[in-house]
């Protein structure tokens, strides 16, 4: 039957991929095995269905079906679609529609489905590739400068040539990208796809922080330098955060003699800080270069410079050398290794920390001496430094219009955060002096004062990037206090509490015949954050966690019995006291709270008693607990002391001092209390009169490290350290010291002749303690690899109970 010719004015059939008209020469329609027809060049440019079948298959872009295709033979091996060829016009297509089949250009593929949600969230934050703002290499502060290469429309509205700052954002190279050879041969991701892939490679915390900064800068227009968004060079990473840049900084004001202008700039700086606090954002540190002046002389905060300064501080650079103004309480948190690892910052900083930094900034401007305030903790006492600041400030303001400001500026430098004024009070005082009036009807809104929690830039993910050693440590710190996201697949179990049976662990290769064979494990699920302690008493297993709860488990079948709530801060330690009449569960938290719970058949949810060890923010937090048969509870805390509390009336009976740093662990054995500290020593005390007995320490150079855990058995004391070492003392004499793991060992347990240890390496080591008259040896018996960091270990009834940082509790036992 003859084929009907198409009308002369009919459009020729097109390739559904490139939309170019088919022809009989360069764009021949070829039929795929799935039945769809594409032009030969498009078929040759399609990527393989998988890396394993790169030369023998492809995926149809229309139906997503994986079909066989030989790249060695090329598109010519596929049959032509004769029906489509018959519909082609008799005249050849115009040259403009011809596609060169020999060298097809890489095709921009659509955005990956996994990034669609990111596109919706960052759609106004991805700068076009044509912006090309990068003009210089990053400075030592990780900042680069440049200017926009094209006009930007909505929502940025920036003219070509506008100066910008670029801050690098650390991502994992190659994350979300195809292999380089596939990218070059088959397709080229669009600029937006590459940027979104880099954003998707960030941690959740870093992504939230970046999105928050971009949104806050838009809301606080004319208060902060606008963060336009992110951009990536087409040739290579990293991802860059692009923000508005003004060349004139506060440092240049030191050379000017216009006191009145400094006063107005100070007032605007107060308004900037108040606006940030209204967003729930605290800076943590400041410097003169963090503020800049626009073309009209108004004060703006540059987020890029703040983050660059924070990165220097987190990398360990001296605050004196880089001009970082950091409040004393923030310095204490940065120097607290354990608190940084645990991300335990609740109540230790907030808006008043920025008030201290702002006060130092005002002193620098008014005395024209930047070094005066930058070196407050370099040498000498705080009181001596404060006296020098007061003297210099009074001398600089004497006889000037701003002389009345001296008192409130000095109060901003109060060592106690509670003694510092509100930021609004500073603003009112400055305005009253400048306007020579007490009218404060135009005072900014104080709504930020109701904020109970703040995101601190200094302690955030963006500040820890590119810090090399501190960046590696930061990743570990985040893992130690990770929440229930790691258990998202078990949310039903988590909500109700439960026990999950896991697969058996093959330990048949160990030497000890009693332990050879299969170990099974069960997982107790109820907590939503890192497990910090385990204790057994009254017929129950008790577990504490950073989620501020204590879970009670039955020792018969490890079913969940009850959840005890009442702590307002992260629970750090737990012990159980078994008496003749009743049993007590005692817990301590990071806010210095000590709670006593009565253990009976009712398991009341309300604590029997509670009190607080410390009210001083600098020393707040109970790190460890221990109980003795003499009726005392012992607590170790950040103030370097051990306190003895009566279990009869809960009164403080004695305070034992001697350690030079935080007391991190306690243990009781044979009438002696052993205390471990971050100063690297273990001290022993008589339980009868609480007098010091001896000091256990290793004098070998380089062996001193914070003590993290202590376990006692008979005349042995075993201790673990942050540098991965463990030490064994016999009759107060060091008999063994060696490195057991590559990271910190958070938990050790000596039970009879068996020694258990676990920590940063995510491996539980089981060893046998062998001793003779002259020496002590440990024989490796088994090791169990876990999915996360081990935080606590308890041995009971031929079972090994292990607390982990991902909120799980593992129970290991031998298979029957």
């Amino acid at each position: 039957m003859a084929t009907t010719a198409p009308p002369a004015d009919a459009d020729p059939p097109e390739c559904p991929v490139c939309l170019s008209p088919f022809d009989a020469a360069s764009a021949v329609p070829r039929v795929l095995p799935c039945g769809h027809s594409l032009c030969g060049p498009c078929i040759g440019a399609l990527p393989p269905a998988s890396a394993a079948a790169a030369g023998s298959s492809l995926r149809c872009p229309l139906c997503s079906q994986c079909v066989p295709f030989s790249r060695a033979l090329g598109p010519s091996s596929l049959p032509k679609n004769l029906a489509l060829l018959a519909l082609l016009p008799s005249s050849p297509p115009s040259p403009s529609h011809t596609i060169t089949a020999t060298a097809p250009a890489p095709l921009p593929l659509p955005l990956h489905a996994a990034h669609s949600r990111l596109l919706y969230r960052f759609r106004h934050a991805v700068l076009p590739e044509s912006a090309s703002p990068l003009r210089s290499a990053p400075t030592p502060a990780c900042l680069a400068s440049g200017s926009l290469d094209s006009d930007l429309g909505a929502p940025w509205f920036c003219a070509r040539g506008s100066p910008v700052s670029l801050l690098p954002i650390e991502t994992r190279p190659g994350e979300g990208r195809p292999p380089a050879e596939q990218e070059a041969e088959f397709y080229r991701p669009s600029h937006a796809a590459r940027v979104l892939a880099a954003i998707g490679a960030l941690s959740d915390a870093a992504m939230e922080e970046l999105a928050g900064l971009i949104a806050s800068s838009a809301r606080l227009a004319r208060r902060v330098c606008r963060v336009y968004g992110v951009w990536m060079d087409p040739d290579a990473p990293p991802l860059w955060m692009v923000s508005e840049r003004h060349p004139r900084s506060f440092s240049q004001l030191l050379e000017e003699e216009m006191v009145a202008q400094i006063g107005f700039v100070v007032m605007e700086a107060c308004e900037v800080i108040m606006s940030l606090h209204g967003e729930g954002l605290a800076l943590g540190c400041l410097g003169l270069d963090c503020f800049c002046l626009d073309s009209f002389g108004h004060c703006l905060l540059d987020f890029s410079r703040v983050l660059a300064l924070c990165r220097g501080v987190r990398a360990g650079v001296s605050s004196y050398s880089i001009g970082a103004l950091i409040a004393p309480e923030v310095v204490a948190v940065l120097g607290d290794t354990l608190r940084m690892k645990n991300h335990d910052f609740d109540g230790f900083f907030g808006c008043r920390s920025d008030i201290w930094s702002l006060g130092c900034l005002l002193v620098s401007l008014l005395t024209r001496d930047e070094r005066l305030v930058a070196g407050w903790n370099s040498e000498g006492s705080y009181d001596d430094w404060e006296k020098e600041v007061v003297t210099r400030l009074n001398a600089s303001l004497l006889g000037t219009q701003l002389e009345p400001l001296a008192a409130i500026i000095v109060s901003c430098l109060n060592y106690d955060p509670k003694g510092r004024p509100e930021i609004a009070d500073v603003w009112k005082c400055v305005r009253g002096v400048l306007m020579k009036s007490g009218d404060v009807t135009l005072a900014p809104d104080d709504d930020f004062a109701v904020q109970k929690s703040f995101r601190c830039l200094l302690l955030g993910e963006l500040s820890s990037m590119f810090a090399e050693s501190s960046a590696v440590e930061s990743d570990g710190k985040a893992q130690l206090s990770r929440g229930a996201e790691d258990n998202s697949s078990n949310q039903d179990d988590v909500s109700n509490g439960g026990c999950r049976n896991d697969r058996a662990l093959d330990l048949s290769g160990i030497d000890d015949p009693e332990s050879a064979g299969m170990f099974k494990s069960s997982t107790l699920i109820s907590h939503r954050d890192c497990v910090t302690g385990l204790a057994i008493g009254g017929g129950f297993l008790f577990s504490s966690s950073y989620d501020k709860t204590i879970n009670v488990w039955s020792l018969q079948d490890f079913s969940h019995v009850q959840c005890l709530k009442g702590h307002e801060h992260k629970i750090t330690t737990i012990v159980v006291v078994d008496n003749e009449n009743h049993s007590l569960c005692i817990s301590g938290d990071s806010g210095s709270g000590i709670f006593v719970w009565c253990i009976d058949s009712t398991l009341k949810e309300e604590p029997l008693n509670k009190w607080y060890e410390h009210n001083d923010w600098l020393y707040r937090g109970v790190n460890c607990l221990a109980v003795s048969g003499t009726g005392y509870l012992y607590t170790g805390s950040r103030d370097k002391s051990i306190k003895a509390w009566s279990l009869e009336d809960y009164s403080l009976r004695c305070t034992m001092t001697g350690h030079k740093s935080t007391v991190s662990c306690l243990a009781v054995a044979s009438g002696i209390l052993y205390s471990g500290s971050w100063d690297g020593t273990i001290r022993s005390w008589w339980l009868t009169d609480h007098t010091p007995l001896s000091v256990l320490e290793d004098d070998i150079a380089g062996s001193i490290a914070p003590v993290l855990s202590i376990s006692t058995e008979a005349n042995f004391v075993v201790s673990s350290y942050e540098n991965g070492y463990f030490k064994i003392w016999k009759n107060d004499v060091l008999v063994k010291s060696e490195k057991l793991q590559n990271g910190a060992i958070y938990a050790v347990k000596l039970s009879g002749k068996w020694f258990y240890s676990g920590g940063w390496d995510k491996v539980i080591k089981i060893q046998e303690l062998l001793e003779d008259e002259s020496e002590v040896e440990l024989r490796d018996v088994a090791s169990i690899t876990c999915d996360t960091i081990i935080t606590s270990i308890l041995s009971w009834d031929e079972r090994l109970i292990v607390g982990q940082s991902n909120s799980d509790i593992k129970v290991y036992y031998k298979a029957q």
Side-chain angles (χ1 to χ4, degrees), residues 365-614:
L365 290 175
L366 297 174
T367 61
R368 293 179 173 81
D369 186 356
E370 184 178 359
R371 296 296 180 183
L372 174 63
V373 292
W376 70 267
N377 62 342
S378 59
E379 58 182 10
S381 67
Y382 189 89
D383 293 337
D384 294 339
W385 170 82
E386 189 174 18
K387 291 177 182 178
E388 183 181 359
V389 169
V390 172
T391 302
R392 294 280 298 279
L393 184 62
N394 289 332
S396 300
L397 297 182
L398 184 63
T400 66
Q401 182 184 2
L402 302 180
E403 184 176 359
L405 295 180
I408 196 166
I409 292 176
V410 171
S411 65
C412 292
L413 305 180
N414 195 314
Y415 191 84
D416 184 3
K418 296 180 180 179
R420 300 168 194 163
E422 298 288 349
I423 189 71
D425 295 334
V426 179
W427 182 91
K428 293 172 186 177
C429 185
V430 176
R431 184 180 184 277
V433 169
L434 295 177
M435 302 302 180
K436 298 181 179 180
S437 170
D439 182 19
V440 292
T441 55
L442 299 178
D445 193 1
D446 291 345
D447 289 342
F448 73 90
V450 302
Q451 289 279 352
K452 294 185 178 180
S453 62
F454 289 84
R455 294 178 291 116
C456 182
L457 280 186
L458 177 61
L459 303 176
E461 292 292 323
L462 295 182
S463 296
S464 64
M465 293 179 176
F466 299 100
E468 297 181 353
S469 61
S470 68
V472 175
E473 186 174 295
S474 177
D475 293 340
K477 294 170 189 174
Q479 291 183 34
L480 191 58
S481 58
R482 215 182 287 176
E485 289 79 8
D486 295 334
N487 297 317
S488 57
S489 61
N490 303 306
Q491 287 302 311
D492 294 337
D493 292 334
V494 172
S495 60
N496 301 319
C499 176
R500 185 182 72 235
N501 290 322
D502 298 333
R503 60 186 178 88
L505 304 170
D506 186 5
L507 301 180
S508 57
I510 60 178
D511 298 328
D512 185 68
E514 295 182 0
S515 301
M518 301 292 289
F519 271 60
K520 290 186 178 181
S521 68
S522 299
T523 304
L524 309 185
I525 304 173
S526 184
H527 285 298
R528 295 183 178 272
D529 208 334
C530 173
V531 177
T532 57
L534 298 169
I536 287 179
F540 299 99
L541 168 66
F542 296 83
S543 61
S544 61
S545 169
Y546 281 161
D547 63 9
K548 307 174 186 178
T549 66
I550 300 171
N551 280 306
V552 187
W553 311 84
S554 170
L555 288 177
Q556 296 180 357
D557 55 2
F558 290 102
S559 60
H560 186 261
V561 178
Q562 191 173 356
C563 180
L564 303 178
K565 301 179 180 179
H567 283 275
E568 298 177 353
H569 301 274
K570 296 177 179 179
I571 303 177
T572 54
T573 180
I574 187 173
V575 294
V576 172
V577 186
D578 281 323
N579 294 328
E580 295 180 357
N581 300 328
H582 59 274
S583 298
L584 300 176
C585 173
I586 307 175
S587 53
D589 62 33
S590 60
S592 290
I594 302 173
F595 285 56
V596 181
W597 314 81
C598 184
I599 304 174
D600 53 23
S601 57
T602 60
L603 278 176
K604 298 179 181 178
E605 296 184 1
E606 294 297 324
L608 181 65
N609 194 11
K610 64 178 180 179
W611 70 95
Y612 290 86
E613 184 194 52
H614 254 296

Side-chain angles (χ1 to χ4, degrees), residues 693-745:
L693 177 59
S694 63
V695 179
L696 310 181
E697 57 184 338
D698 191 351
D699 297 330
I700 300 176
S703 65
I704 299 178
V707 183
L708 300 183
S709 179
I710 296 177
S711 181
T712 60
E713 182 78 15
N715 56 344
F716 286 98
V717 177
V718 179
S719 57
S720 65
Y721 297 80
E722 191 178 46
N723 57 3
Y725 275 77
F726 79 96
K727 298 176 183 179
I728 301 178
W729 314 80
K730 181 179 180 181
N731 297 324
D732 292 351
V733 176
L734 181 63
V735 293
K736 192 170 188 61
S737 174
E738 67 179 43
K739 190 169 185 178
L740 185 63
Q741 298 191 15
N742 293 325
I745 304 175

